[in-house]
């Protein structure tokens, strides 16, 4: 029976945590790309990596923490002062006893810092 997407993500993080890279590779397409977000941060000099390049980056990490559910989402609109607002987010949902225990949200902090600085200048 085929694994669900959730099961694949759990297996992927388990394999990353134990450094079982051959097991990781079975879940990847030949065109696999690891893309670091937010884009404004520059991706440590390489915003997009293939599997071989990602392994080099991973070898410098001590541990990869298992995550249960992720969501990428975007917002577009206008602020109260009429300025445009466009941002990208990543939501991390952690569960305990089949209930949502926490929701962490990451956003483009470079964009937000610039936006708040502009708003302060206007005030």
């Amino acid at each position: 029976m085929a694994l669900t997407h959730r099961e694949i993500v759990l297996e992927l993080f388990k394999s990353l945590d134990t450094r079982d890279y051959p097991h990781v590779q079975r879940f990847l397409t030949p065109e696999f790309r690891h893309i670091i977000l937010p884009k404004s941060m520059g991706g440590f000099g390489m915003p997009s990596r293939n599997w071989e390049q990602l392994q080099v980056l991973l070898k410098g990490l001590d541990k990869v923490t298992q995550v249960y559910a992720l969501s990428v989402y975007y917002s577009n609109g206008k602020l109260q002062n009429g300025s445009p607002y466009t941002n990208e987010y990543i939501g991390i949902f952690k569960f305990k006893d089949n209930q949502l225990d926490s929701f962490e949200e990451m956003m483009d902090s470079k964009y937000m810092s610039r936006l708040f600085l502009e708003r302060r200048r206007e005030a």
Side-chain angles (χ1 to χ4, degrees):
M1 184 158 86
L3 296 175
T4 66
H5 290 171
R6 182 181 186 278
E7 290 168 328
I8 290 171
V9 169
L10 292 174
E11 280 293 313
L12 177 70
F13 276 93
K14 180 179 170 185
S15 298
L16 287 171
D17 193 31
T18 60
R19 308 271 193 223
D20 187 357
Y21 295 147
H23 188 71
V24 170
Q25 196 162 5
R26 72 178 227 159
F27 299 110
L28 309 178
T29 67
E31 301 82 22
F32 169 81
R33 302 301 298 170
H34 173 257
I35 301 166
I36 295 180
L37 298 173
K39 293 177 184 175
S40 66
M41 299 304 287
F44 302 110
M46 187 183 293
S48 178
R49 291 174 171 77
N50 64 26
W51 173 235
E52 288 76 24
Q53 294 164 328
L54 177 59
Q55 287 180 79
V56 172
L57 179 68
L58 291 174
K59 288 179 183 176
L61 302 178
D62 291 331
K63 185 170 180 62
V64 177
T65 302
Q66 194 172 41
V67 176
Y68 294 100
L70 294 172
S71 179
V72 177
Y73 46 100
Y74 305 87
S75 62
N76 297 293
K78 290 189 177 189
L79 299 173
Q80 291 177 346
N81 67 1
S83 299
Y85 179 83
T86 303
N87 208 345
E88 59 186 338
Y89 306 88
I90 298 174
I92 302 170
F93 302 87
K94 295 181 181 177
F95 294 85
K96 182 178 180 182
D97 299 326
N98 242 5
Q99 291 184 307
L100 185 60
D101 189 48
S102 69
F103 167 39
E104 298 171 359
E105 183 175 73
M106 295 184 195
M107 62 184 74
D108 186 338
S109 55
K110 187 175 181 180
Y111 172 78
M112 292 302 293
S113 295
R114 189 179 77 234
L115 183 67
F116 286 126
L117 182 62
E118 289 171 4
R119 291 202 63 193
R120 272 192 224 140
R121 286 182 186 152
E122 291 173 2

